[in-house]
Amino acid sequence: MKPVQLISPVDGRVYAERMPLSLEAAQAVAARAKAAQKGWAARPLEDRIALVKAGVARLNEMKDVVVEELAWQMGRPTRFGGEYGGVNARTEYMASIAAETLAPQMIENSNAFRRYLAREPLGVVFIVAPWNYPYLTTINTLVPALIAGNTVVLKHASQTLLVGERLAQAFHEAGVPEDVFQNVVLDHATTEALIAARAFNFVNFTGSVAGGQAIERAAAGTFTPLGLELGGKDPGYVRADANLDAAVDTLMDGAMFNAGQCCCGIERIYVHESLYDAFVEKAVAWVNALKLGNPFDAASTLGPMANTRFAKVVRDQIAEAVAQGAKPLIDPANFPADDGGAYLAPQVLVNVTHAMRVMMEESFGPVVGIMKVKDDAEALRLMNDSPYGLTASIWTEDYDTASALGAQVETGTVFMNRADYLDPALCWTGCKDTGRGGSLSYLGFHSVTRPKSYHLKKV
Ligand code: NAP
């Protein structure tokens, strides 16, 4: 077995190195998680909630080291302060609805019958997490899974393997038993072998489409439920009645934040012809105001991409689109930190078409294509002309218009006048190649529990 190396995008150094577990050791981890589950589920709900909240509170106390490590691992500028806003809000919300969501639902309680629907934890939940929002994507499942009485095994991305260690450390120091939440380093073969051997009762995989397909293949025939939160190519549509400045600001931030490495980042924009020229001009000015640089420099608003290989995908897509007739509006000379490697100048492309990969395949980087549309019908056709369906951001003044258009978009979330945001009270879900299942909201608890019907009769 080879060690897993975490190469920092900041300067290319090996920032951390860990040996993955052997299959036997990984099986032992899963067995311990299984053995610990009944005892954990038997604890009162309030205790589990308190321990999970204490784990997150402990993580907050570790903020300085977490933010610095995050920059080394995946390049996010330290000025953004980590992922604490979302981590805290999602934990608070899921904790606040747990008692009501997990309570048995009484259908009848009479002298003749007691009939009710209960929810049971699934058992051992396995989380396979990505590097791009490494804390948030884990928290989305970790928090409801533990609160609902499951034990959890976490396998984090190689690019962010210290995140798994920090989460485990925080939760253990806060009193969550070690076997209730275990972090592991695994290679793909061992990950898949465990799933195929029914080591887990639920797998939440967040990552690429190819990875999701591999997990689905590994689970085939085991009936292990899967949550698959995969890639996106999220569109923005700016109608003629949009607030232009707000649209530019939010959509460009949605395209560029985190160097474009957001599953629900804006990757393509369709603008009504009446606003198109003004939108493009403002969008270019917005992007030119970004500062690409070392993530530890307080002035940097754009860090390196997490890995030179991810930047290469984006560079190739841009070059290919330009060769096919796209026009790049950002002069890379404005971004002298672009080193041809992980540090990549942002780009705005016009004259793009859906024949170009940059408009069809996930870029997952700081590039966005903008197209002119003449009406809603054309925008809808283009928004739906995608293998993905995570979010769609519609810019209009009117709720009813947004709802009516949203109903025709093949997507997991419809936004009006916002983008690139997860609301803990709404289900995070997708369709088409973006996968299936849902996290957050009361439905997030349904993903980590199973219904159990009680049909009790007196004779
Ligand atoms: P990835 O390469 O698929 O990896 C995700 C995780 O799965 C990592 O822990 C990875 O381990 C593991 N993995 C990948 N292939 C595997 C396989 N065949 N068997 C076992 N484990 C496997 O994705 P990523 O590059 O980390 O993340 C970026 C992708 O995630 C983008 O496509 C993005 O859109 C998507 N994403 C989606 C959401 C959503 O909510 N829908 C949220 C965030 C990100 P290693 O790191 O060790 O390879």
Side-chain angles (χ1 to χ4, degrees):
M1 249 174 183
K2 289 201 312 252
V4 175
Q5 282 193 334
L6 190 178
I7 310 284
S8 172
V10 177
D11 58 4
R13 77 172 68 168
V14 177
Y15 183 65
E17 197 170 49
R18 297 285 183 274
M19 275 309 286
L21 293 182
S22 66
L23 181 59
E24 296 69 38
Q27 283 165 334
V29 165
R32 284 202 298 278
K34 186 170 182 201
Q37 193 265 324
K38 292 247 172 336
W40 174 246
R43 293 173 79 149
L45 176 63
E46 312 82 73
D47 287 10
R48 296 197 303 268
I49 291 176
L51 282 166
V52 166
K53 285 170 97 166
V56 171
R58 181 73 195 99
L59 189 69
N60 276 262
E61 289 165 9
M62 292 154 60
K63 184 168 182 175
D64 288 348
V65 58
V66 160
V67 169
E68 190 185 316
E69 278 179 357
L70 206 53
W72 280 114
Q73 291 176 90
M74 50 75 71
R76 171 134 10 104
T78 50
R79 64 182 283 147
F80 297 119
E83 301 174 0
Y84 282 98
V87 164
N88 293 334
R90 293 177 199 183
T91 303
E92 274 306 316
Y93 181 77
M94 295 308 280
S96 76
I97 63 166
E100 190 188 342
T101 309
L102 297 171
Q105 211 188 334
M106 189 63 74
I107 308 296
E108 179 180 353
N109 192 14
S110 70
N111 261 339
F113 283 104
R114 182 176 292 174
R115 297 182 297 132
Y116 60 98
L117 266 167
R119 297 210 72 90
E120 283 210 338
L122 292 172
V124 182
V125 166
F126 185 40
I127 301 175
V128 184
W131 51 265
N132 67 317
Y133 277 92
Y135 283 95
L136 286 169
T137 49
T138 307
I139 284 289
N140 289 353
T141 303
L142 177 64
V143 164
L146 289 177
I147 287 178
N150 302 280
T151 51
V152 171
V153 176
L154 167 64
K155 177 248 171 290
H156 222 297
S158 303
Q159 191 71 48
T160 42
L161 50 79
L162 299 187
V163 171
E165 294 181 7
R166 287 295 172 209
L167 280 163
Q169 179 194 346
F171 277 58
H172 296 157
E173 287 177 4
V176 173
E178 301 225 342
D179 289 352
V180 166
F181 171 29
Q182 299 174 80
N183 173 61
V184 289
V185 177
L186 298 179
D187 63 19
H188 292 184
T190 308
T191 304
E192 292 170 19
L194 288 175
I195 294 171
R198 298 188 167 196
F200 308 112
N201 305 100
F202 177 69
V203 180
N204 174 272
F205 175 91
T206 307
S208 60
V209 172
Q213 287 166 334
I215 297 299
E216 200 171 56
R217 276 195 297 274
T222 67
F223 307 117
T224 306
L226 304 178
L228 299 170
E229 304 185 17
L230 312 178
K233 186 81 194 165
D234 289 357
Y237 170 35
V238 182
R239 291 185 90 240
D241 64 339
N243 177 321
L244 183 65
D245 287 334
V248 170
D249 204 38
T250 301
L251 290 175
M252 297 319 290
D253 187 56
M256 299 296 162
F257 189 74
N258 210 31
Q261 301 163 120
C262 307
C263 54
C264 55
I266 294 293
E267 298 218 355
R268 47 201 179 108
I269 300 176
Y270 308 103
V271 185
H272 187 263
E273 55 195 9
S274 62
L275 295 181
Y276 178 81
D277 290 342
F279 184 94
V280 169
E281 190 186 325
K282 284 172 187 271
V284 167
W286 195 100
V287 170
N288 274 325
L290 290 171
K291 172 94 173 34
L292 174 68
N294 187 301
F296 294 101
D297 180 347
S300 299
T301 50
L302 200 59
M305 291 190 66
N307 196 298
T308 47
R309 103 175 167 270
F310 306 144
K312 180 167 184 324
V313 170
V314 184
R315 290 178 195 278
D316 288 352
Q317 283 190 3
I318 294 171
E320 199 178 295
V322 171
Q324 289 176 277
K327 187 172 167 200
L329 298 182
I330 303 296
D331 181 355
N334 292 343
F335 296 88
D338 187 329
D339 63 352
Y343 290 82
L344 169 65
Q347 190 52 272
V348 174
L349 297 172
V350 292
N351 293 353
V352 286
T353 73
H354 278 211
M356 298 171 183
R357 280 201 302 144
V358 78
M359 294 302 278
M360 295 303 283
E361 292 180 14
E362 189 175 44
S363 305
F364 221 57
V367 59
V368 66
I370 309 181
M371 285 173 77
K372 189 189 290 187
V373 293
K374 62 179 184 313
D375 56 20
D376 289 342
E378 186 179 13
L380 281 170
R381 182 178 62 72
L382 289 167
M383 282 195 278
N384 285 335
D385 181 29
S386 169
Y388 296 104
L390 186 54
T391 79
S393 172
I394 297 171
W395 288 77
T396 173
E397 279 182 341
D398 181 40
Y399 288 141
D400 291 340
T401 304
S403 292
L405 289 174
Q408 298 177 70
V409 184
E410 296 150 3
T411 187
T413 293
V414 177
F415 289 118
M416 170 174 141
N417 299 345
R418 83 178 307 181
D420 192 19
Y421 178 78
L422 273 73
D423 178 340
L426 298 177
C427 186
W428 190 244
T429 183
C431 59
K432 304 202 274 188
D433 280 1
T434 298
R436 62 181 148 95
S439 53
L440 300 177
S441 80
Y442 74 92
L443 293 170
F445 277 114
H446 288 195
S447 295
V448 291
T449 55
R450 73 169 71 83
K452 189 166 190 175
S453 296
Y454 287 80
H455 192 151
L456 316 181
K457 180 184 176 189
K458 281 194 174 169
V459 290

